[in-house]
Amino acid sequence: MKRVVLLLALCVTALLSVWLITESQKKSGVIEAIEARRSVRAYKDTPVEHEKLELLAKCGVLAPSAMNRQEWEVRIVENKAWIDGATATYLKAVEGTGKADYMLTPTFKNIFRNAAAVIFVGAPDGVFSGENVGCMAQNIMLAATELGLGTCFLGSVQMIFAEPAMAEHLTSLGFSDGYKLRYALAVGYPDEAPEAKPRDMSKIKFVE
Ligand SMILES: Cc1cc2nc3c(=O)[nH]c(=O)nc-3n(C[C@H](O)[C@H](O)[C@H](O)COP(=O)(O)O)c2cc1C
């Protein structure tokens, strides 16, 4: 009898150990999203659900910011006519300069890396301004990944909207006085599945 109890105890311990190891190796949704996220530059025409865009913006605002000042403004464009209008204005303004050449792939749809929706983020100049809006961007991109959406961080909008011809489009985003356009995030249902770009893990060092 004693032997049976001992055997059972051993079996239970072994099973428990296997379960504990498996559980500890399981990845959370966030880690899975971090590993799955890619910059996507080809999107389906399928519009992004309004509620999903709302949720993404909320996830952005839940990001940390220095002293919780939340010095950012988020402007969401889901209107295809706005996106196409801005694209037409920009392409006309820079025609012959080569400035837009890098975007003009055979599957070109718009200057926002062909996205169905665009989230613009503005912030005033200031200490930690870049850090704040950077945290916001990553929240949005990871949440989008979890929702099956692709994103692409677009720093290039700073240059695009600096073109004098783009002034009206920039104004229509309605950023408050003192707020500058920092970046945009292309958002949409991916029409490509890019490989992960290489990362240099030797940048990480534990300090003794
Ligand atoms: C600050 C910043 C600016 C970027 N600007 C652009 C851009 O203007 N256009 C673009 O296609 N990608 C842009 N990217 C995306 C990067 O090219 C991309 O993150 C990088 O190549 C790594 O690829 P991955 O995002 O797929 O891991 C930007 C990324 C960051 C963080």
Side-chain angles (χ1 to χ4, degrees):
M1 182 64 183
K2 259 188 187 171
R3 273 194 186 168
V4 175
V5 172
L6 194 67
L7 202 67
L8 268 176
L10 275 175
C11 283
V12 169
T13 314
L15 280 173
L16 203 67
S17 308
V18 170
W19 179 78
L20 276 175
I21 290 169
T22 317
E23 280 301 301
S24 69
Q25 286 176 347
K26 260 190 196 163
K27 286 173 181 165
S28 74
V30 176
I31 295 172
E32 276 179 6
I34 289 169
E35 289 181 348
R37 186 208 58 79
R38 305 277 184 276
S39 290
V40 173
R41 300 181 177 92
Y43 294 92
K44 296 190 171 126
D45 288 331
T46 321
V48 181
E49 296 85 338
H50 184 80
E51 302 70 32
K52 286 193 181 174
L53 290 169
E54 253 177 358
L55 179 58
L56 292 184
K58 273 189 198 155
C59 289
V61 170
L62 289 175
S65 63
M67 300 181 78
N68 195 29
R69 285 204 182 123
Q70 303 168 59
E71 285 181 314
W72 48 44
E73 287 183 351
V74 183
R75 301 290 180 256
I76 306 164
V77 178
E78 51 191 339
N79 178 357
K80 188 175 180 305
W82 192 101
I83 291 173
D84 290 346
T87 297
T89 306
Y90 182 69
L91 291 184
K92 190 162 173 243
V94 300
E95 204 177 347
T97 64
K99 285 184 187 176
D101 288 359
Y102 73 100
M103 321 178 196
L104 299 174
T105 60
T107 52
F108 178 82
K109 288 177 187 167
N110 63 55
I111 57 169
F112 306 106
R113 288 299 195 182
N114 312 309
V118 190
I119 299 178
F120 293 90
V121 173
D125 282 329
V127 186
F128 299 132
S129 179
E131 288 83 350
N132 294 336
V133 291
C135 289
M136 166 176 269
Q138 192 68 347
N139 264 21
I140 295 174
M141 292 191 287
L142 294 179
T145 306
E146 193 173 316
L147 295 175
L149 292 162
T151 56
C152 188
F153 190 114
L154 301 176
S156 51
V157 293
Q158 288 191 14
M159 280 70 87
I160 289 174
F161 284 87
E163 287 292 332
M166 297 297 282
E168 214 174 293
H169 297 286
L170 181 60
T171 305
S172 75
L173 292 174
F175 286 118
S176 300
D177 282 348
Y179 277 65
K180 286 183 188 164
L181 174 60
R182 299 289 157 159
Y183 61 82
L185 298 174
V187 185
Y189 286 96
D191 204 14
E192 63 170 2
E195 288 293 315
K197 297 253 179 82
R199 294 297 198 269
D200 179 1
M201 295 302 168
S202 75
K203 303 267 180 186
I204 308 168
K205 296 254 190 292
F206 279 92
V207 177
E208 298 297 331

